[in-house]
Amino acid sequence: MRLGITEHRVRLGPQEYRVLRTTGLRRALCDDTGHWLDLRVDREAAAELAAAWLLAARSPRSLVHMPLRKRAEQPVGAHPPEPHQARDLLLVHHSRQFPASRWKAVRARLGHGSPRTVEFRRADFPTTEDRPVPGAHHTGFRDRVRLTTAADTLVLSGSALPFADAAADFLDLADTGPGRDIRCGGHACAELHPTSGLLDPSMPLMHVEYCPDWEPAPAGG
């Protein structure tokens, strides 16, 4: 499995940040409804989303950026996100202690970056046996993903464990979504629940839906 990225180095004051930005995810949208986080992807984007989250798990010193706000295609029959609700994703290991408020300044300095290709095998993703037991962690469990919104971006801070766990869910969606009869009212999705023990309880539900058919966005959209 291959994921195209660009690698960027940004210095702000005494701090240097390495940003890995995905170049794929062509058919992927993220909508912050205010009640939950709604992502829509096709099969290829679901697999790339999985690879990007696994990349974040494997790259604790880097910021992994998925630009999703300005996409030229939309799922057939679905309402596109309102412009003020469309979001990018940024995954950050909590050990970096990256202030979300700094993201806008970092993003403005990214430039073109250096093209890279990251490769993963299926064996790199967690299996069912690798998964943590839901609710097994105490209230202060540092692995839990926490959410901050900054500069139209969902900044998700956590550790390798929840990032890799979510990556496995997204890869499963890429595998099983196309087998569902979506066009006849079926539904295929992956959901990250605050009650799972891997998300901060204050986080909204993250719902990732497989959408097989996409069309160009309306002119002026």
Side-chain angles (χ1 to χ4, degrees):
M1 182 182 305
R2 295 184 175 183
L3 177 69
I5 63 170
T6 50
E7 180 180 355
H8 309 257
R9 300 277 181 172
V10 174
R11 179 167 290 280
L12 282 182
Q15 295 291 329
E16 182 179 71
Y17 299 102
R18 179 178 182 244
V19 180
L20 306 177
R21 171 182 262 179
T22 61
T23 57
L25 291 165
R26 185 168 59 90
R27 290 178 170 176
L29 293 171
C30 180
D31 184 7
D32 183 357
T33 70
H35 301 286
W36 61 82
L37 309 177
D38 187 20
L39 281 80
R40 282 163 282 177
V41 294
D42 72 351
R43 184 179 187 278
E44 181 179 0
E48 290 176 333
L49 187 67
W53 281 63
L54 188 59
L55 177 62
R58 297 289 185 89
S59 308
R61 298 187 61 81
S62 301
L63 316 182
V64 176
H65 178 221
M66 287 156 271
L68 306 178
R69 284 180 297 142
K70 301 175 182 178
R71 292 306 188 201
E73 295 187 60
Q74 309 284 342
V76 171
H79 294 291
E82 295 292 334
H84 68 282
Q85 293 180 337
R87 299 286 184 263
D88 291 344
L89 296 180
L90 183 71
L91 305 183
V92 184
H93 195 277
H94 62 63
S95 64
R96 285 244 53 180
Q97 298 183 325
F98 177 74
S101 59
R102 193 169 294 183
W103 170 239
K104 185 175 182 179
V106 171
R107 186 178 61 192
R109 292 164 170 79
L110 288 181
H112 295 294
S114 302
R116 300 278 188 271
T117 300
V118 182
E119 296 192 27
F120 294 110
R121 304 165 301 161
R122 285 188 172 273
D124 293 326
F125 291 83
T127 64
T128 303
E129 292 74 21
D130 299 325
R131 304 294 186 89
V133 178
H137 306 295
H138 58 77
T139 304
F141 185 50
R142 286 179 56 82
D143 279 331
R144 285 177 172 160
V145 174
R146 290 170 171 78
L147 170 68
T148 308
T149 302
D152 298 317
T153 302
L154 302 177
V155 182
L156 297 158
S157 175
S159 76
L161 192 153
F163 288 156
D165 193 65
D169 286 338
F170 301 148
L171 185 62
D172 183 65
L173 179 62
D175 287 339
T176 61
R180 305 286 180 88
D181 199 354
I182 304 296
R183 295 174 182 84
C184 295
H187 183 83
C189 68
E191 292 185 337
L192 305 184
H193 291 270
T195 57
S196 67
L198 291 177
L199 302 186
D200 187 85
S202 65
M203 264 194 68
L205 170 75
M206 179 176 285
H207 175 260
V208 184
E209 181 179 355
Y210 166 69
C211 301
D213 300 318
W214 292 61
E215 61 186 355

